[in-house]
Amino acid sequence: MKLDRSEQIFAEARTLIPGGVNSPVRAYKSVGGTPVHVARGSGPLCWDVDGNEYVDLVLSYGPLILGHCDPRVVAAVEKTARTGFTFGAPTEGELVMARTLHERMPWVEMVRLVNSGTEATMSALRLARAFTGRDCIVKFNGNYHGHGDSFLVKAGSGALTHGAPDSPGVASALADLTLVAEYNDLASVERILAQRGREVACIIVEPVAGNVGLILPAPGFLAGLRKLCDAHGALLIFDEVMTGFRVARGGYTELCGVRPDLITLGKVIGGGLPIGAYGGRRDVMARISPSGDVYQAGTLSGNPLAVAAGLATLRATDEPGFYAELEAKSARIADGIAKAAAKHGVPCHVGRQGSMLCPYFSKEPVLTLDVAMASDRALWTRWFHAMKDRGVLLPPSPFEAWFVSIAHDDAAIERVARAADAAFAAVT
Ligand SMILES: *Cc1c(COP(=O)(O)O)cnc(C)c1O
């Protein structure tokens, strides 16, 4: 496969952009080789600048639940673009978005729009600290909540594969306030709270851990966090930036039945344009400026184009049977990988929740970060390249979730299965 043009662009980009990329995982550091530079996408497919075609299972790491360039989203953005990009004044679309989020997640009594998932989690954290009058937070090893200082302690995603979970530049005084527990290990949370419960403002958790591949919450884990928060007077924050409206109409919160005090959103609610949101209990959210005293603002917050793209996307997911169809498609992709792996004798367990999935080359099912980290990364890396050479674009790390869209049709699903078979044959 030729990547000449990608190589040329990357070579110059590295002289002008740190690592040649605007977000670390895109640099292929953990898999090696030249990052595919994408020229365009359509439905389940994308094409790189050298003209190679791929079935896209990256999908911008989650936002594109309808695939690339869904005509309904394109039309909404085009229409809005003709009426103005941004005003610095409130628009009706923001109310429609707030109402839409509230209807789908009734426990989101009030919501504030921001520009990214990172901004959502940072703002929710400030709010939790203000509301409780406490400074510490509990987060989980391997959970990723964006690049806010307080969260860059044992973080997942790019921070995980680059082996630098504690970034220089994060003030140690701040990092000291971040207490790290083990995902799916309630006892590790209990230990922290027994010692420092009165200092803890909130527990923040990815209800499904999607930034270490895909690890499901153990039965009772999320309900246990809820109980512990109540017992210690801390707020529970579900970071649904990845899972929100991707795994179900009401996010993972609807599926698990546990109610957080605050929730953070992003990705799907912007349909591919930059957006984030945080919301939840009215008495907590009312503390946000200007109704309250906790400051948080944004020149482009509630941006009309992002809101239009997000609303068009959410509306499309309201079609009857949308999530059932997405579930069926995602199950077929997961089965295709599992069957191909079995045929070639590769131990493989596919973690999956709806249209988020991650095949681990592991002998045992992956329920903890340790087991994920013990999977066969060297084999995975060779297989990643073999998949790319066969026209399937995957996230360039064994610890990133793959995403399926409603646009992934039979042809795309079968191409993934065939590529997986051939790729396993090539690397085993
Ligand atoms: C992607 C992600 C974020 C960060 O969102 P950005 O828009 O990249 O800032 C936060 N939390 C989770 C769970 C995510 O998956």
Side-chain angles (χ1 to χ4, degrees), residues 139-144 151-156 160 165-166 180 182:
K139 78 173 284 289
F140 293 93
N141 191 3
N143 273 196
Y144 180 70
F151 300 120
L152 282 186
V153 179
K154 303 265 182 199
L160 188 71
D166 304 305
V180 179
E182 293 300 318

Side-chain angles (χ1 to χ4, degrees), residues 112 127 130 283-296:
R112 172 59 69 82
L127 176 58
D283 60 332
V284 182
M285 288 301 292
R287 285 289 297 272
I288 294 293
S289 180
S291 77
D293 54 351
V294 179
Y295 196 69
Q296 184 271 308

Side-chain angles (χ1 to χ4, degrees), residues 116-118 121 144-146 206 211 239 241-242 267:
S116 67
T118 292
T121 55
Y144 180 70
H145 306 294
E206 285 184 73
N211 284 288
D239 182 356
V241 170
M242 187 184 282
K267 297 188 173 131

Side-chain angles (χ1 to χ4, degrees), residues 76-102:
V77 172
E78 274 176 0
K79 187 169 164 230
T80 306
R82 276 191 289 270
T83 60
F85 292 6
T86 175
F87 303 104
T91 55
E92 188 170 359
E94 293 159 78
L95 168 64
V96 180
M97 178 59 90
R99 195 195 292 134
T100 303
L101 298 179
H102 171 68

Side-chain angles (χ1 to χ4, degrees), residues 226-351:
R226 176 72 272 172
K227 275 207 193 103
L228 287 170
C229 280
D230 293 343
H232 292 273
L235 298 183
L236 180 61
I237 305 177
F238 277 0
D239 182 356
E240 289 225 49
V241 170
M242 187 184 282
T243 50
F245 309 113
R246 176 159 275 287
V247 300
R249 196 173 176 283
Y252 194 74
T253 302
E254 173 189 290
L255 296 181
C256 71
V258 177
R259 294 289 171 266
D261 300 293
L262 292 174
I263 188 168
T264 53
L265 297 165
K267 297 188 173 131
V268 169
I269 65 163
L273 268 67
I275 204 167
Y278 64 105
R281 269 168 56 183
R282 183 179 304 278
D283 60 332
V284 182
M285 288 301 292
R287 285 289 297 272
I288 294 293
S289 180
S291 77
D293 54 351
V294 179
Y295 196 69
Q296 184 271 308
T299 302
L300 295 178
S301 293
N303 176 260
L305 293 174
V307 166
L311 283 174
T313 300
L314 291 176
R315 233 174 266 131
T317 67
D318 266 335
E319 296 204 343
F322 179 90
Y323 285 99
E325 185 182 333
L326 191 57
E327 164 71 25
K329 288 178 167 179
S330 310
R332 281 175 63 197
I333 290 192
D335 286 351
I337 305 294
K339 282 201 183 108
K343 178 176 161 190
H344 296 278
V346 173
C348 176
H349 283 275
V350 184

